[in-house]
Amino acid sequence: GGEKGEEALGGEDDTGGGWGGDDLEGLEGLEGGGGGDGWGIDMDDLDLPSASPGQRSSANVGGGFFAPPTMGTSATLRWQQASSVPGEHVAAGSFNQAMELLNRQAGVVSFAPLKPIFLSVYMGAQAVVSGTPGAPFIDSAMHRNNDNYSWSARGTDGLPAVCVSVAALTDRIKSGYKAFTEGKLKEAGEIFIATLQSVTVACVDSKSDLDELREHMSVCREYITAVLLESTRREKFKEDPTRNMELAAYLTHCNLQPLHLLISLRSAMSSAVKVKNFNTAASFCRRLMELNPKAEHKEQALKVLKVCDTNRTNEIDLTYDERNPFVVCTKSFKPIYRGQPMCRCGFCGGTFATDYKGQLCAICQVGEIGLKGSGLINSRQQRGKAAQTADDFDMDE
């Protein structure tokens, strides 16, 4: 009976022709396998709850797409984009751009002396905050206007915290004054040179601070010149009375503090008497008396003046004319009188004979002699491309 049954079914895999096989010609009008009316399926009679707008369809579970938010602009990148102040680029870590700006604005060509200054400014503008155990550290940019800066899609409008400030430079200059008073010329020179070089990355936010910064540059330039004159006089021209006397005389024309000018006049007065240039010594005595010195110094100057008045002669001829205004070239250590050609350092403004154009400045040691820049920018509020003077400043104080 079993065999007959198998024969009747046509075998396990043999589908009878009664099922139509692969012949689908009669199904062309059916869509989606809904079945005919004979099945009695009516979808309109079903009472299905409607899906809430926030409810995800079960058909889409696992197929969603997450779009992360667009990364914003970092503070350091925004500092670079919004500023042409070299110090702010240094704070952002953009050393190459800062060097390009310094070269274009101030004629700076030697950057090796500025490396420790750059590193100090960069590290001072960054902070690292520890997170939870095992999590990476979080870098945080430091701003000098913490009270009034904000963030937007474009980044921050905050100003980077720069450790070189006017107050810090003022303290350094005071240390330089002290060393100069004590006769520590090497130490004084190092302090004033470092202070002058630090101006390259200084950042200010008011006209008064910019005025003071420019004044600091002038002070450093004058004192470095004085240190170079006195050091060269002691070391190089110790056995040359003429040059020794000339450099002592030039030193008295540097723009120094009254106490330091008095010291230089006493030194020049003593040197002039030693070489028997009494006329020159008498001039130093009179200038010294105008500074209202101590009683003992005044008494000494009066004695020298009395001797000079009785001997109105000069034993040696000097390249020195006190009545004709001049500046000193710190390469040749010779005067450049008014009207004579000269060139200046693009950064510090030091004066030199035209023979030294293209060489490294002996005062700031970073600028090129004769390379004129557009002007160092120390504030975002300076008008135009740049300005060396505080007159080009656009800010409401």
Side-chain angles (χ1 to χ4, degrees):
E3 294 178 357
K4 293 181 179 180
E6 290 179 1
E7 291 177 0
L9 293 174
E12 183 178 358
D13 295 328
D14 186 13
T15 303
W19 288 99
D22 293 331
D23 185 6
L24 303 178
E25 293 179 357
L27 303 177
E28 292 178 358
L30 301 177
E31 294 179 5
D37 294 338
W39 288 95
I41 300 174
D42 188 3
M43 296 298 294
D44 295 336
D45 294 339
L46 298 179
D47 186 14
L48 299 175
S50 59
S52 60
Q55 185 176 357
R56 296 168 58 184
S57 171
S58 60
N60 294 330
V61 173
F65 176 75
F66 172 71
T70 304
M71 180 179 292
T73 304
S74 65
T76 54
L77 180 59
R78 185 59 183 160
W79 292 344
Q80 300 173 45
Q81 296 172 343
S83 175
S84 58
V85 180
E88 295 190 353
H89 282 265
V90 173
S94 179
F95 289 2
N96 288 336
Q97 183 65 23
M99 289 189 288
E100 291 179 8
L101 289 172
L102 286 172
N103 177 261
R104 187 166 63 249
Q105 295 175 7
V108 176
V109 294
S110 178
F111 295 96
L114 301 181
K115 181 178 179 179
I117 301 174
F118 275 30
L119 292 175
S120 296
V121 170
Y122 173 68
M123 290 188 292
Q126 311 294 327
V128 178
V129 182
S130 60
T132 57
F137 291 105
I138 303 172
D139 294 331
S140 178
M142 306 294 289
H143 293 83
R144 65 177 184 269
N145 58 334
N146 287 315
D147 297 333
N148 57 2
Y149 81 92
S150 60
W151 286 86
S152 65
R154 296 180 59 191
T156 177
D157 60 357
L159 305 175
V162 178
C163 60
V164 180
S165 63
V166 173
L169 296 179
T170 302
D171 291 339
R172 290 190 193 180
I173 288 177
K174 290 179 181 178
S175 299
Y177 285 160
K178 184 175 183 294
F180 192 90
T181 303
E182 296 172 352
K184 300 176 181 178
L185 298 181
K186 183 178 180 180
E187 179 182 344
E190 292 173 349
I191 292 173
F192 285 115
I193 290 173
T195 304
L196 181 57
Q197 292 174 350
S198 297
V199 175
T200 58
V201 296
C203 299
V204 298
D205 300 311
S206 68
K207 185 178 182 299
S208 59
D209 284 347
L210 186 63
D211 290 339
E212 193 170 353
L213 188 64
R214 296 291 181 256
E215 180 63 25
H216 286 347
M217 289 184 67
S218 178
V219 168
C220 291
R221 181 179 64 245
E222 292 296 321
Y223 272 85
I224 294 170
T225 300
V227 168
L228 289 173
L229 285 169
E230 184 63 14
S231 300
T232 304
R233 184 181 76 88
R234 295 181 183 182
E235 299 168 5
K236 188 175 180 180
F237 298 122
K238 185 176 181 180
E239 305 300 329
D240 186 343
T242 301
R243 288 294 283 152
N244 189 290
M245 180 64 244
E246 286 176 348
L247 266 63
Y250 302 156
L251 178 59
T252 66
H253 290 267
C254 291
N255 189 12
L256 308 178
Q257 293 291 310
L259 173 62
H260 302 144
L261 181 58
L262 190 147
I263 294 173
S264 67
L265 285 169
R266 291 183 62 213
S267 175
M269 179 183 67
S270 176
S271 298
V273 171
K274 289 179 181 178
V275 297
K276 298 182 179 179
N277 272 37
F278 297 111
N279 272 341
T280 306
S283 173
F284 295 141
C285 288
R286 295 187 183 93
R287 290 176 58 193
L288 189 150
M289 297 290 290
E290 294 174 356
L291 296 176
N292 193 23
K294 294 181 180 179
E296 55 182 302
H297 296 158
K298 183 177 181 179
E299 182 180 355
Q300 183 184 38
L302 288 172
K303 289 180 179 179
V304 172
L305 185 59
K306 184 176 181 180
V307 172
C308 293
D309 287 340
T310 58
N311 299 276
R312 298 177 177 275
T313 59
N314 282 336
E315 189 70 21
I316 58 177
D317 292 329
L318 303 176
T319 307
Y320 171 63
D321 183 1
E322 63 174 327
R323 296 181 181 84
N324 190 0
F326 67 89
V327 292
V328 179
C329 171
T330 50
K331 286 282 191 178
S332 64
F333 296 101
K334 292 183 179 180
I336 304 174
Y337 291 101
R338 180 181 294 174
Q340 293 181 341
M342 67 177 182
C343 51
R344 294 181 178 273
C345 169
F347 167 54
C348 70
T351 52
F352 299 88
T354 54
D355 297 339
Y356 300 99
K357 185 176 182 179
Q359 296 186 20
L360 189 65
C361 176
I363 297 176
C364 65
Q365 301 179 7
V366 295
E368 180 179 320
I369 300 172
L371 179 58
K372 185 177 181 180
S374 59
L376 179 62
I377 296 181
N378 293 108
S379 173
R380 292 191 185 186
Q381 284 73 33
Q382 282 176 256
R383 292 197 301 265
K385 292 183 179 180
Q388 282 282 44
T389 64
D391 294 335
D392 292 331
F393 199 91
D394 186 13
M395 185 177 204
D396 295 331
E397 296 186 87

